[in-house]
Amino acid sequence: FLFGESTMQGTHLFPKSTIKKWMEIYLEDLLGEAEAKKITIVNFGRLGCGSRFMLQAFKNTLVYKPDLVVFYSAHNNFIQLELRDEVLKPKPVVEKFGAFMQELVKKSSFISTMNRLAVAAKIKRSERKAKIKNDEWYVEEEKKFNPDTDLIQNGSDRFERIRQSWERDIRQMIQVAREKNIPVIFFEGVSKYKDFKPFYSKHSLRLNADQQREWQNMSSAADKSFREERYFEAMTLYQEILKIDEEYALTYFRLGQCFEQLGDYEKAYTCYVESNEKDYMPIRAPKVVNLFYDQLVAEKLKDVYVIPTQHLFDQHSQHGLVDDTWVADQLHPTMKGQALMAKEIVKIVVENHWL
């Protein structure tokens, strides 16, 4: 069973290309068509879902006794505003009671059957609504960006609450899998750090009026040098700017571009990552995600495997900087990227003699 965010679901490539489909291709290569057909791979990946949804979906599908589960959970808990709200805005008591009653319903076979019929009806209603949305006359009201609620600072109290909640969900996935003796594989997050500047940069609150003027003057000069492709000069200026304000995300991004143009790819990579870390609306997973997965590896938990996705993609990319060959936008793999991820799952299966 495969659970995950849009990366697992397949996003812009679905249904033509997914990690599931590439796994099937590899398994047929290994076993032959007849034997490969005996293996069923189910993709429960879902656009926009978070770790809490994956955990619940895993629990709900245990009745089908999967032999192996794979999770991709890395970005959405930190990116999706509605998923943040699940953690930052406690549910009313009435809603909690409703969720509790739903769990009771699942334990009754008769009521569960009725519940499934209700869910089926709900799906049909959703499909009808989706069809209406595709009509030309339907205009959905666009949600306006609100800096007061939509921005989040890496390392802030709100950020830490989200991180802790996400880590708890991952730990519970492991616990559930171990109780049922099911091997579990996690993917670390993968991001393309170059080509996309930070969404929202903010200045340090410590800057006084004189420092702000100095920063603005130097920034204008650095940007001019960058536009005119005088990258060494621009690099020097951006480095000086960081001495005034080390919080402004865009400065790191521009500095990374300078290093890349000058051939110092290791420093470019470091700057691109730091640009994402300083972004107040990060589109890509923060470093804490993969650091947590690295911690799981260090714990050497039985039947728990972690695929170091970012490292894997970096290794296969020119100069160690992931480009459009492997990742189409900030975080969604291309067909080649999906194939690379699927191959790593199959390698673990083969190495453990699970076939």
Side-chain angles (χ1 to χ4, degrees):
F1 285 3
L2 311 180
F3 299 91
E5 308 168 356
S6 51
T7 293
M8 187 67 82
Q9 184 266 350
T11 186
H12 58 294
L13 298 173
F14 179 87
K16 182 179 180 181
S17 174
T18 63
I19 292 171
K20 169 186 180 290
K21 289 203 169 187
W22 284 104
M23 285 181 67
E24 290 169 341
I25 291 170
Y26 287 128
L27 288 169
E28 187 172 323
D29 265 356
L30 280 169
L31 306 174
E33 184 178 357
E35 287 298 309
K37 283 184 177 178
K38 297 178 182 178
I39 301 172
T40 300
I41 304 171
V42 185
N43 183 7
F44 290 106
R46 178 172 172 175
L47 294 172
C49 79
S51 59
R52 193 163 297 176
F53 176 88
M54 293 176 218
L55 173 61
Q56 192 58 53
F58 178 32
K59 289 179 179 179
N60 290 348
T61 53
L62 281 172
V63 66
Y64 299 105
K65 299 179 181 179
D67 300 295
L68 172 68
V69 291
V70 184
F71 291 98
Y72 185 97
S73 177
H75 308 94
N76 284 358
N77 286 57
F78 300 88
I79 296 171
Q80 300 282 358
L81 299 180
E82 60 271 24
L83 297 181
R84 291 183 189 175
D85 288 345
E86 286 183 8
V87 177
L88 300 177
K89 298 178 180 178
K91 291 183 179 179
V93 175
V94 173
E95 192 173 336
K96 288 182 179 179
F97 180 74
F100 171 73
M101 292 302 295
Q102 280 188 338
E103 288 302 310
L104 287 182
V105 162
K106 291 172 186 174
K107 295 178 181 179
S108 164
S109 57
F110 171 73
I111 301 179
S112 183
T113 300
M114 301 304 294
N115 187 53
R116 283 197 295 272
L117 291 173
V119 170
K122 187 176 179 181
I123 290 172
K124 287 184 178 179
R125 286 198 301 271
S126 297
E127 289 173 345
R128 286 197 294 271
K129 285 183 180 179
K131 185 178 184 303
I132 293 172
K133 284 186 178 183
N134 288 330
D135 291 342
E136 291 183 4
W137 55 265
Y138 181 87
V139 179
E140 186 173 3
E141 185 178 351
E142 185 178 352
K143 182 183 181 298
K144 292 183 179 179
F145 174 70
N146 184 349
D148 295 330
T149 58
D150 296 351
L151 298 180
I152 189 166
Q153 184 180 15
N154 195 327
S156 65
D157 289 342
R158 293 170 69 232
F159 180 92
E160 285 302 304
R161 286 168 61 190
I162 294 167
R163 179 190 63 80
Q164 291 168 10
S165 173
W166 174 76
E167 289 186 6
R168 282 195 300 270
D169 289 343
I170 301 298
R171 292 283 186 188
Q172 285 188 52
M173 292 172 194
I174 294 172
Q175 181 180 340
V176 171
R178 298 184 80 179
E179 287 173 355
K180 299 295 183 179
N181 295 315
I182 305 170
V184 58
I185 299 174
F186 291 98
F187 277 109
E188 292 189 354
V190 60
S191 300
K192 183 168 73 167
Y193 292 111
K194 59 179 286 180
D195 298 334
F196 294 94
K197 65 182 182 180
F199 182 85
Y200 200 95
S201 303
K202 287 184 71 173
H203 286 292
S204 169
L205 296 176
R206 295 191 298 271
L207 261 64
N208 58 38
D210 290 338
Q211 289 173 320
Q212 288 178 12
R213 281 192 294 271
E214 183 183 7
W215 185 96
Q216 188 60 56
N217 291 334
M218 291 185 69
S219 181
S220 298
D223 291 345
K224 184 174 185 295
S225 298
F226 182 83
R227 288 193 301 271
E228 295 173 356
E229 300 182 1
R230 291 181 280 118
Y231 296 115
F232 185 84
E233 182 179 312
M235 174 201 71
T236 305
L237 286 169
Y238 286 128
Q239 287 176 319
E240 290 300 313
I241 290 169
L242 285 177
K243 293 178 182 178
I244 301 172
D245 184 359
E246 59 183 16
E247 296 300 321
Y248 203 71
L250 185 58
T251 306
Y252 290 95
F253 184 78
R254 294 295 184 219
L255 183 57
Q257 289 181 307
C258 291
F259 280 128
E260 185 177 356
Q261 291 295 329
L262 294 168
D264 195 334
Y265 303 110
E266 188 174 339
K267 287 184 179 177
Y269 187 92
T270 300
C271 287
Y272 286 143
V273 173
E274 197 61 29
S275 171
N276 185 63
E277 291 296 292
K278 300 293 185 182
D279 192 351
Y280 273 68
M281 187 69 180
I283 303 301
R284 292 153 288 209
K287 285 193 293 187
V288 294
V289 166
N290 288 355
L291 288 174
F292 174 73
Y293 282 125
D294 290 343
Q295 180 184 327
L296 288 184
V297 174
E299 292 175 17
K300 298 181 179 179
L301 302 172
K302 185 178 183 297
D303 287 336
V304 176
Y305 302 84
V306 176
I307 295 171
T309 327
Q310 187 67 52
H311 181 65
L312 180 70
F313 277 63
D314 292 344
Q315 281 185 316
H316 283 79
S317 301
Q318 188 176 24
H319 309 307
L321 296 171
V322 178
D323 57 25
D324 292 341
T325 304
W326 302 103
V327 179
D329 48 31
Q330 289 99 322
L331 46 87
H332 294 117
T334 59
M335 284 189 186
K336 290 185 72 172
Q338 290 176 341
L340 188 62
M341 295 173 75
K343 187 177 181 180
E344 291 301 305
I345 299 173
V346 174
K347 280 171 64 177
I348 292 175
V349 170
V350 172
E351 287 167 1
N352 285 277
H353 309 288
W354 289 335
L355 293 175

